[in-house]
């Protein structure tokens, strides 16, 4: 093992005089407490190391020991349901009330293992060799590391095993022998290879109407969520983590609040996955580097999250990774870059910010795994632009690489209109790919109604500008109806509180029902206006209030009531038109 | 123990707050040192960088009068610590934890790192104890809970101090555990009279023996300002998590803290980020604000009420902007309301309490509290929009509903925001329900039929 001796330290970056060879990205242990670091530069006899923990107390002369391995994490069946720091070291109550330097990785756990291959069987790289069963988590697969494959020489029988125990022996084509466990190490800096990247064809259903129905993201897609402070990034990310139809959620709390992480930990075990009935925590992995934890580890936390997410994808699962916030990660890049004396670019960020963002979002995909299954990784990144100004570097670069842009709007948030996703500044490039899916689900008119809603909101903005000049009272009835209709779309469809028990999740079937009702109301109201029925009378229709509140009042277990609402809607309009006919 | 080790005559360079000296002692990074000049006075410093030959000491006070030959450095052998004990209550300290009230030194029972330690997120409790401040725009619309960090975004000349004193007084009274309460007042670069009037207010309310004060005066070195909240929060953590008290920390003025950070960063020759503030200001502020909270299965809580003055009343300035990204909401004060004589002049639209959802509603306050707050927000936001419209086309061009909103907006400011006396939450809610009668029922889409039935008069 190579050794070096610390020669210079300031903040989280140190230099050490090396004896022996080190390589870039090699993990090192520093001093008695074996603080974790990574080699980020080699300059002749000196190495430069980024330290992932508080460096207080370090001094020249302290040993820096190479691990001969890249900075890597151990992925395996024990990850689900737990919270880790940015380098995948567990943060349970066991470590005490405070995070101290020198944490250690997760201790081995025991699982029930069932082999799925026999001696003689030839496994592809990254292939599946067994199943892992646990009481409190979903069934998982025992995977080979993506760089290992070969003929099975021995395999353990069914039974309890430790996740670091060698349960299978392989011989590669070249005759090399490997013994493997159900968990393995993988570099956090290296994407896990796949057999093939596939086109998107199914939405990641989020249960949020404004996303699923207006700006859908595909499984394997990539979305950004920019917004100033208090616009609802975190609440929306958490809602997605709770209700989206992924099999596994990796939630990366990157440089944000400790209380938010704690909130997830308190809440998720109590909530049920609407699809499986199991506690949500069982499908969730949390990676937390809160804003007061070491900055260098913040930079690593995103890659740790990606590696964990790809590991689950490789099991043939649909995985969604939420990163809150990618801006803190970019700032960590900036800080470390500054300490290395690199030339600052735009906004002080290093010139490679853009390519790092590109690499990050590029890892989202629907794939055929090495083992031959279909899996996907959807990436959803929050962006925190200074002063809520979307023209800053992180937002603008992010926009180039994502397909869905969910722009959060300050003034909506201030009037407590949530989610504050602005329908006019947001977009999704996945719409076309996903239209067939909605049609198959029975929402045959999805593209038309979607367009109609968006057009209304756009016209509303236009008419309101005009009303500022001529006064609302002077608007012709048709335009006043447009305002009414747009408000109905906003209030009755787009607004959805994450804290409402009935409305925090909205199934596709309910979204379809709500969309149709509002669409129908608008059609009938337009007809009524054409028949010169006074707009004020439409405004006073009792059904209107029911439509504006249906999201909160009629949950997913009351789908039949939406039919009744439809009947009422027809009846009220018939009455209105009839009355007008009699009067005229 | 290196506690008594001295180095002298090894100093090669003094540059602003930095002293470079030959590494004659085996010290570690961030260790605290005392730098003693010819005047015999000890200035606090810390080891900022080390290499094989040299060490860099950052002096956290003025380096005035130091020379290469007559300066000695004493090493403490550990990162900066603060000695605390039950005796700190009722006492006044300077910005770096030295007794400032002329009394005897405080008997130390614990010696704690002033930088604290990051709370393990898995060990945090869930803050949910509602604090009734008596202020409607806070209690009803932006509720404060124990363990929250909720800053006041103010401006020069606005009555933030009065509001802070009012909250401090009420927070103490709530709940049966009034005796377990403590208050930490942190004056950062504040004029003498601010600190003095706070002290007097606490004295009058009989809370002085539950109060600890840390005062860094405007005339004192700005580098010390960076330490003041760290000493104060160390004391607060001791009171909260060792003694198990409910601690409210009032820190004013965080803008002075950020200015000091900018100044010190510039003197280090660091590349500045927005408006000259260092790129790490977010993390630096977070290291302070994240010290608020509660611990799982552990008594005590640490609530922070930082006050900052927004330069040019601009909420998008880096100081309020970064703060808002870290804290759990903000209470924004408004000059226009203040000019109209409205007290407390809380600008409700940009104000927010992120933890309100955890401490209000069924089982916490009133089941209808969240819906009422949401409705009031929606209606007032609409009123604000209509106002803009009316200022252009005049009230005559508005439909009848919009004119009702205008009336609602005005009444909201004079009857809800403005208050002569403290209100209980029930009184605040009653006033709000009453006000909603001004609007047509159809408009109240955030309320259920049952809520309308229950609370609005026919
Ligand atoms: N979808 C939502 N439903 C209800 N309330 C929300 C929603 N999104 C945001 N909020 C409210 O806005 C506050 C701020 O949201 P948050 O997600 O913390 O903002 P950000 O992360 O953008 O700073 C929350 O505390 C909550 O009160
Ligand atoms: Mg957030």
């Amino acid at each position: 093992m190579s050794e070096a001796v610390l020669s210079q330290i300031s903040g989280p970056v140190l230099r050490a005089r090396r004896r022996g060879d080190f390589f870039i990205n090699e993990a090192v242990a520093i001093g008695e407490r074996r603080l974790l670091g990574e080699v980020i530069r080699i300059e002749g006899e000196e190495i430069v190391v980024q330290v992932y923990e508080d460096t207080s107390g370090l001094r020249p002369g302290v040993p820096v020991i190479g691990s001969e391995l890249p900075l890597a994490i151990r992925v395996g069946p024990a990850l689900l349901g737990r919270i880790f720091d940015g380098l995948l070291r567990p943060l349970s109550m066991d470590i005490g009330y405070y995070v101290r330097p020198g944490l250690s990785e997760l201790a081995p756990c025991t699982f029930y293992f069932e082999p799925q291959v026999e001696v003689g069987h030839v496994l592809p790289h990254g292939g599946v060799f067994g199943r892992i069963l646990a009481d409190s988590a979903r069934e998982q697969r025992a995977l080979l590391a993506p760089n290992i494959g070969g003929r099975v020489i021995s395999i353990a029988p069914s039974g309890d095993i430790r996740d670091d125990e060698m349960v299978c022996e392989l011989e590669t084509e070249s005759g090399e022998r490997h013994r493997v466990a159900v968990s393995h190490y993988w570099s956090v800096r290296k994407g896990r290879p796949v057999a093939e990247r596939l086109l998107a064809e199914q939405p990641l259903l989020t249960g949020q109407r404004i996303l699923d129905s207006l700006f859908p993201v595909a499984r394997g897609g990539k979305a950004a969520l920019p917004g100033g402070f208090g616009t609802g990034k975190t609440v929306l990310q958490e809602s997605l983590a709770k209700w989206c139809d992924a099999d596994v959620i990796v939630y990366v709390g990157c440089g944000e609040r400790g209380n938010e992480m704690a909130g997830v930990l308190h809440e998720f075990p109590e909530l049920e996955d609407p699809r499986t009935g199991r506690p949500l925590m069982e499908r969730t992995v949390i990676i937390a580097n809160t804003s007061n934890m070491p900055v260098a580890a913040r930079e690593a936390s995103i890659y740790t999250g990606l590696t964990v997410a790809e590991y689950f994808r490789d099991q043939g699962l649909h995985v969604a990774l939420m990163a809150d916030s990618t801006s803190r990660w970019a700032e960590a890049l900036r800080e470390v870059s500054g300490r290395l004396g690199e030339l600052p670019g735009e906004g002080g960020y290093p010139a490679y910010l853009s390519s790092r963002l590109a690499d990050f979002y590029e890892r989202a995909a629907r794939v055929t795994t090495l083992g031959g299954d279909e899996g996907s990784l959807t990436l959803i990144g929050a962006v925190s632009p200074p002063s809520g100004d979307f023209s800053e570097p992180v937002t603008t670069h992010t926009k180039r690489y994502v397909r869905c842009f969910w722009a959060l709007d300050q003034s909506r948030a201030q009037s407590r209109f949530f989610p504050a996703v602005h329908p006019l500044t947001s977009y999704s490039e996945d719409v076309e790919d996903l239209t067939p899916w909605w049609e198959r689900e029975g929402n045959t008119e999805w593209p038309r109604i979607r367009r109609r809603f968006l057009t209304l909101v756009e016209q509303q903005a236009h008419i309101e500008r005009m009303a500022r000049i001529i006064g609302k009272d002077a608007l012709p009835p048709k335009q006043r109806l447009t305002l009414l209709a747009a408000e109905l779309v906003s209030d009755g469809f787009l607004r959805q509180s994450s804290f409402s028990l009935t409305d925090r999740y909205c199934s596709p079937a309910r979204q379809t029902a709500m969309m149709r009702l509002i669409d129908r109301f608008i059609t009938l109201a337009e007809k009524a206006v054409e028949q010169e029925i006074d707009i004020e009378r439409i405004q006073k229709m009792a059904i209107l209030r029911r439509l504006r509140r249906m999201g909160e009042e009629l949950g997913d277990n009351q789908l039949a009531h939406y039919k009744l609402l439809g009947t009422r809607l027809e009846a009220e309009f018939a009455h209105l038109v009839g009355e007008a006919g009699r009067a005229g | 123990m290196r506690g008594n080790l001295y180095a002298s005559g090894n100093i090669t360079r003094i540059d602003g707050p930095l002293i470079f000296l030959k590494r004659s002692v085996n010290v570690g990074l961030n260790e605290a040192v005392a730098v003693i000049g010819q005047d015999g006075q000890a200035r606090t410093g810390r080891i900022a960088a080390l290499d094989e030959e040299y060490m860099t000491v950052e002096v956290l006070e003025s380096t005035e009068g130091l020379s290469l030959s007559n300066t000695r450095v004493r090493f403490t052998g550990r990162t900066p610590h603060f000695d605390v004990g039950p005796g700190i209550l009722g006492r006044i300290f300077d910005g770096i934890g030295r007794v400032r009230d002329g009394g005897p030194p405080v008997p130390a029972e614990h010696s704690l790192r002033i930088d604290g330690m990051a709370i393990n997120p898995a060990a945090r409790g869930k803050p949910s104890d509602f604090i009734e401040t008596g202020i409607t725009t806070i209690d009803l619309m932006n509720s404060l809970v124990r363990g929250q960090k909720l800053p006041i975004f103010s401006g020069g000349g606005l009555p933030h101090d009065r509001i802070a004193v009012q909250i401090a007084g009420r927070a103490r009274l709530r709940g049966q555990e009034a005796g377990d309460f403590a208050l930490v007042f942190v004056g950062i670069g504040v004029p003498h009279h601010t600190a003095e009037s706070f002290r007097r207010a606490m004295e009058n309310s009989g809370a002085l023996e539950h109060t600890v004060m840390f005062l860094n005066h405007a005339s004192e070195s700005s580098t010390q300002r960076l330490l003041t909240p760290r000493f104060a929060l160390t004391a607060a953590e001791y009171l909260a998590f060792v003694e198990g008290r409910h601690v409210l920390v009032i820190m004013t003025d965080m803008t002075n803290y950020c200015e000091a950070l900018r100044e010190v960063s510039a003197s280090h020759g660091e590349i500045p980020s927005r408006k000259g503030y260092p790129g790490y200001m977010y993390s630096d502020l977070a290291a302070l604000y994240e010290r608020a909270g509660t611990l799982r299965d552990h008594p005590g809580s640490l609530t922070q009420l930082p006050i900052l003055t927004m330069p040019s009343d601009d909420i998008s300035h880096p100081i309020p902007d970064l703060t808002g990204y870290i804290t759990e909401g903000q209470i924004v004060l408004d000059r226009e309301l203040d000019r109209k004589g409205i007290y407390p002049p809380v600008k409700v639209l940009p104000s927010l309490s992120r933890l309100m959802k955890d401490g209000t509603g069924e089982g916490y306050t009133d089941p209808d509290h969240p819906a009422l707050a949401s409705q009031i927000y929606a209606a007032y936001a609409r009123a604000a929009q209509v106002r803009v419209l009316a200022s252009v086309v005049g009230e005559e061009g508005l439909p009848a509903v919009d004119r009702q909103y205008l009336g609602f907006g005005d009444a909201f400011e004079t009857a809800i925001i403005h208050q002569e006396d403290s209100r209980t939450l029930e009184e605040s809610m009653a006033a709000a329900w009453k006000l909603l009668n001004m609007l047509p029922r159809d408009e109240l889409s955030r309320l259920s039929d049952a809520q309308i039935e229950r609370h609005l008069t026919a």
Side-chain angles (χ1 to χ4, degrees):
Chain A
M1 235 167 256
S2 310
E3 224 190 285
V5 178
L6 195 156
S7 55
Q8 192 195 329
I9 173 108
S10 134
V13 175
L14 64 79
R15 286 172 174 269
R17 206 181 303 288
R18 68 188 177 89
R19 282 190 238 120
D21 243 0
F22 284 83
F23 59 89
I24 292 288
N25 297 134
E26 180 170 354
V28 298
I30 303 141
E32 277 160 41
R33 282 178 301 169
R34 305 187 56 77
L35 304 184
L36 182 60
E38 181 181 3
V39 177
I40 51 175
R41 236 187 228 183
I42 303 172
E43 295 173 358
E45 290 312 297
E46 260 189 350
I47 54 172
V48 180
V49 172
Q50 159 168 327
V51 190
Y52 292 121
E53 321 209 31
D54 180 4
T55 51
S56 292
L58 288 184
R59 65 200 64 199
V62 158
V64 176
I65 317 280
S67 66
E68 290 173 13
L69 291 171
L71 187 70
I73 54 174
R74 191 159 66 93
V75 289
L79 301 177
L80 285 180
R82 293 183 202 267
I83 177 168
F84 300 90
D85 79 349
L87 291 150
L88 210 70
R89 297 171 301 182
L91 295 173
S92 64
M93 266 312 260
D94 300 343
I95 66 162
Y97 283 114
Y98 298 95
V99 182
R100 291 184 169 80
L103 292 178
S104 40
E105 67 168 26
L106 188 63
C109 306
T110 300
F111 292 92
Y112 186 81
F113 170 73
E114 217 177 76
Q116 287 180 309
V117 291
E118 285 165 12
V119 173
H121 198 113
V122 178
L123 281 167
H125 284 170
V128 179
F129 61 93
R131 298 201 298 161
I132 295 149
L133 305 165
D135 302 335
S136 62
R138 59 174 308 126
E139 182 184 316
Q140 293 189 59
R141 290 175 165 185
L143 287 187
L144 294 177
N147 53 358
I148 294 182
R151 198 168 52 85
V152 177
I153 294 176
S154 74
I155 178 94
S158 295
D160 283 341
I161 50 126
R162 268 177 32 163
D163 57 0
D164 64 341
E165 186 179 325
M166 300 304 164
V167 289
C168 177
E169 193 169 2
L170 300 166
E171 191 178 73
T172 64
E173 265 178 28
S174 56
E176 249 177 277
R177 291 200 169 193
H178 290 283
R179 294 169 65 211
V180 298
V182 298
S183 66
H184 59 257
Y185 283 91
W186 190 257
S187 160
V188 297
R189 305 278 180 206
K190 204 156 107 199
R192 291 171 67 99
V194 298
E196 194 186 358
R197 292 173 74 105
L198 306 171
L199 290 179
E201 58 179 27
Q202 219 181 331
L204 178 81
L205 292 171
T206 66
Q208 308 297 309
R209 287 187 289 273
I210 190 162
L211 303 186
D212 292 347
S213 289
L214 296 193
F215 307 111
V217 62
R219 278 187 169 172
K222 33 200 165 181
L225 197 60
F229 64 81
T231 52
K233 298 180 293 296
T234 302
V235 173
L236 196 54
Q237 289 272 43
E238 286 179 8
S239 294
L240 298 180
K242 286 173 191 164
W243 311 121
C244 82
D245 67 343
D247 300 314
V248 169
I249 301 292
V250 179
Y251 195 95
V252 187
C254 181
E256 296 282 311
R257 302 174 185 86
N259 268 337
E260 291 173 346
M261 295 292 101
V264 171
L265 284 177
H266 282 264
E267 203 179 358
F268 277 38
E270 310 291 319
L271 292 174
E272 244 177 38
D273 182 339
R275 277 159 293 265
T276 62
R278 307 283 310 176
L280 278 178
M281 199 61 205
E282 288 181 2
R283 67 163 195 180
T284 308
V285 182
I286 303 174
I287 313 281
N289 175 282
T290 56
S291 56
N292 56 344
M293 285 161 76
V295 170
R298 194 163 305 161
E299 188 268 330
S301 68
I302 289 282
Y303 296 102
T304 297
L306 279 172
T307 304
V308 169
E310 287 178 347
Y311 162 71
F312 285 105
R313 177 204 64 194
D314 290 350
Q315 293 189 35
L317 298 172
H318 296 289
V319 183
L321 179 144
M322 286 89 197
D324 185 13
S325 156
T326 59
S327 294
R328 306 299 164 222
W329 167 67
E331 284 162 13
L333 274 185
R334 177 172 70 185
E335 192 167 333
V336 173
S337 158
R339 298 224 181 238
L340 294 177
E342 293 171 345
L343 215 59
E346 210 184 339
Y349 292 100
Y352 47 79
L353 170 71
S354 175
S355 64
R356 291 287 171 90
L357 280 167
D359 292 346
F360 169 70
Y361 283 108
E362 198 48 33
R363 287 169 80 168
R366 188 168 81 95
V367 305
T368 305
T369 65
L370 293 180
D373 299 296
E374 184 193 323
S376 70
L377 170 57
T378 310
L379 293 181
I380 302 168
V383 185
S384 317
S387 335
D389 173 5
F390 289 3
S391 66
E392 58 90 40
V394 182
T395 317
T396 51
H397 288 302
T398 298
K399 205 167 177 178
R400 292 166 51 202
Y401 305 121
V402 295
R403 290 177 58 86
C404 297
F405 193 74
W406 297 330
L408 297 180
D409 176 57
Q410 200 105 49
S411 71
R412 288 185 168 236
Q414 292 196 349
S415 54
R416 304 305 192 251
F417 183 101
F418 291 114
V421 176
H422 198 296
L424 296 183
T425 46
S426 302
Y427 60 80
S428 161
E429 294 171 20
D430 290 339
V431 170
E432 241 159 76
D433 292 341
L434 301 178
T435 302
W437 185 88
W438 277 102
E439 287 171 349
R440 275 199 306 279
E441 284 292 296
N443 193 347
T444 44
E445 294 197 284
W446 185 72
R448 180 189 64 78
I449 306 181
R450 176 179 179 276
R451 232 335 93 225
R452 180 178 219 177
F453 284 7
L454 285 174
T455 310
L456 278 170
V457 179
E458 202 172 325
Q459 286 171 343
Q460 174 190 37
H462 180 72
I463 297 172
E464 273 174 356
R465 268 197 303 275
M466 206 155 66
R468 234 171 268 166
I469 305 164
I470 61 172
K472 256 192 202 168
D473 260 356
L475 294 173
K478 244 187 137 161
Q479 294 194 336
R480 290 183 61 194
L481 177 64
T482 303
L483 290 184
L484 176 74
E487 267 168 41
L488 176 60
V489 169
S490 289
D491 220 23
F493 191 74
L494 303 184
R495 184 162 64 85
Q496 184 180 1
S497 169
S498 290
F499 308 132
S500 154
L501 289 183
T502 32
D503 209 22
R504 59 192 186 187
Y505 168 77
C506 189
S507 68
R510 188 155 75 102
Q511 297 191 30
T512 301
M514 292 174 71
M515 251 186 154
R516 287 210 172 119
L517 275 172
I518 290 178
D519 177 61
R520 183 69 185 153
F521 176 92
I522 298 168
T523 304
L524 291 176
E526 277 174 356
K527 274 201 193 123
V529 167
E530 270 163 32
Q531 293 171 32
E532 305 201 340
I533 291 175
D534 195 0
I535 183 92
E536 315 254 295
R537 298 193 48 206
I538 300 176
Q539 246 158 4
K540 291 217 163 67
M541 290 173 74
I543 188 76
L544 200 49
R545 178 170 162 83
R546 297 280 72 83
L547 294 182
R548 288 168 79 178
R549 287 191 50 79
M550 65 185 160
E552 254 153 73
E553 288 179 350
L554 303 173
D556 271 296
N557 51 359
Q558 288 164 294
L559 279 180
H561 280 72
Y562 283 93
K563 279 231 170 60
L564 291 178
L565 267 190
T567 317
R568 254 183 85 178
L569 173 70
E570 300 292 337
E572 277 196 34
F573 268 105
H575 181 75
L576 193 71
V577 174
E579 257 191 350
R582 276 194 298 282
Chain B
M1 188 64 194
R2 289 190 302 276
N4 301 319
L5 273 179
Y6 282 89
S8 54
N10 282 328
I11 300 181
T12 56
R13 187 152 74 93
I14 302 180
D15 183 357
L18 301 181
I19 297 182
F20 298 83
L21 63 167
K22 284 242 172 59
R23 200 168 70 91
S24 54
V25 178
N26 188 20
V27 291
L29 194 69
N30 287 338
E31 282 182 11
V33 300
V35 179
I36 302 149
Q38 198 162 28
D39 51 9
Q41 202 152 22
R43 298 161 179 81
T44 309
R46 70 177 187 98
I47 306 290
L50 285 164
D51 63 25
E52 285 161 324
E53 262 183 88
Y54 291 97
M55 49 194 171
T56 311
V57 170
E58 181 185 359
V59 183
L60 301 164
E61 302 178 48
S62 162
T63 46
E64 203 182 304
L66 295 183
S67 76
L68 296 188
S69 57
N70 65 16
T71 301
R72 288 182 306 153
V73 176
R74 188 175 74 226
F75 300 93
T76 63
R78 58 178 193 176
T79 57
H81 277 57
F82 184 30
D83 293 340
V84 291
I88 60 174
L89 280 178
R91 301 298 301 271
I92 302 176
F93 297 88
D94 72 0
I96 50 172
R98 293 179 297 212
V99 169
R100 157 160 267 173
D101 54 11
V106 173
E109 288 194 2
H110 296 265
S111 192
L112 303 173
R113 261 173 74 116
I114 66 160
D115 283 324
M117 271 183 295
I119 300 179
N120 173 4
R124 279 184 184 267
K126 187 167 186 178
S128 59
D129 285 345
F130 176 79
I131 297 178
E132 190 177 83
T133 66
I135 297 170
T136 302
T137 42
I138 297 178
D139 295 349
L140 173 62
M141 305 181 70
N142 296 290
S143 317
L144 171 68
V145 298
R146 277 193 179 140
Q148 184 170 10
K149 38 191 182 287
L150 186 66
I152 298 179
F153 287 8
S154 187
L158 293 179
H160 42 260
D161 292 333
R162 185 173 156 202
I163 296 172
V165 166
Q166 192 173 341
I167 294 175
R170 299 281 299 209
R172 180 176 63 95
L173 293 177
R174 192 185 139 85
Q176 56 280 61
E177 318 130 39
D180 297 339
F181 176 80
L183 194 68
V184 176
F185 177 86
V186 195
I188 306 165
V190 293
H192 193 73
H193 69 87
T194 305
E196 184 51 28
S197 68
F198 185 85
R199 197 191 66 81
R200 224 172 280 146
M202 287 304 105
E203 196 168 29
N204 292 341
S205 67
L208 205 55
E209 68 268 31
H210 295 284
T211 304
V212 192
M213 297 182 78
F214 289 81
L215 302 178
N216 161 271
H217 289 308
S219 55
E220 281 164 327
S221 107
S222 67
T223 31
Q224 264 192 28
R225 247 158 247 170
L226 301 185
L227 293 176
T228 308
R230 291 183 164 80
F231 276 97
L233 286 167
T234 304
E237 279 168 347
Y238 161 75
L239 292 168
F241 302 127
V242 178
E243 291 201 359
R245 294 171 189 268
H246 294 297
V247 182
L248 177 68
V249 183
I250 295 176
M251 304 196 273
T252 183
D253 177 336
M254 288 307 288
T255 299
N256 294 337
Y257 175 87
C258 295
E259 294 304 345
L261 198 65
R262 174 163 72 171
E263 197 179 316
V264 169
S265 164
S267 70
H268 286 200
E270 291 163 347
I271 301 164
S273 182
R274 263 202 303 163
K275 294 218 159 130
Y277 296 93
Y280 53 77
M281 189 154 90
Y282 175 84
S283 296
D284 187 276
L285 287 173
L288 303 178
Y289 294 139
E290 281 290 314
R291 292 171 81 169
T294 59
L295 301 178
R296 219 183 249 255
D297 307 322
H298 195 287
S301 65
L302 199 165
T303 310
Q304 290 185 13
L305 201 71
I307 297 171
L308 61 86
T309 45
M310 298 180 280
S312 337
D313 292 345
D314 175 12
I315 195 169
S316 69
H317 183 281
I319 295 174
D321 191 51
L322 290 179
T323 303
Y325 270 120
I326 301 164
T327 53
E328 283 142 353
Q330 63 280 337
I331 301 297
V332 183
L333 302 189
D334 182 44
R335 202 167 294 283
E336 200 179 314
L337 289 175
D338 186 55
R339 231 180 265 132
K340 285 190 204 166
I342 288 172
Y343 175 87
V346 175
K347 190 172 184 174
V348 296
L349 292 182
S351 296
L352 169 71
S353 165
R354 295 165 192 266
L355 299 189
M356 174 165 181
K357 60 182 193 315
D358 301 322
T360 57
E362 186 89 61
Y364 298 98
T365 55
D366 186 291
D368 294 335
H369 180 173
L372 175 59
S374 172
Q375 180 62 70
I376 289 271
Y377 257 105
Y380 184 60
R382 173 82 186 268
Q385 272 173 8
V386 176
R387 253 186 210 169
V388 175
L389 201 62
S391 69
V392 186
V393 295
E395 275 189 44
E396 311 73 46
L398 298 175
V401 185
D402 283 359
R403 283 198 296 273
Q404 281 172 301
Y405 271 108
L406 272 188
F408 173 87
D410 294 338
F412 177 80
E413 286 167 9
T414 49
I416 299 284
I417 301 184
H418 183 69
Q419 55 189 106
E420 303 283 339
D421 304 303
S422 287
R423 296 189 189 121
T424 63
L425 176 65
E426 291 69 30
E427 288 166 346
S428 290
M429 287 185 66
W433 289 121
K434 196 169 142 214
L435 202 69
L436 284 177
N437 279 312
M438 295 179 68
L439 295 173
R441 299 290 150 89
D442 307 339
E443 291 292 317
L444 308 179
S445 67
R446 309 268 174 112
L447 300 177
S448 69
D449 295 1
Q451 285 164 336
I452 291 181
E453 191 71 25
R454 260 201 301 280
H455 300 289
L456 300 194
T457 48

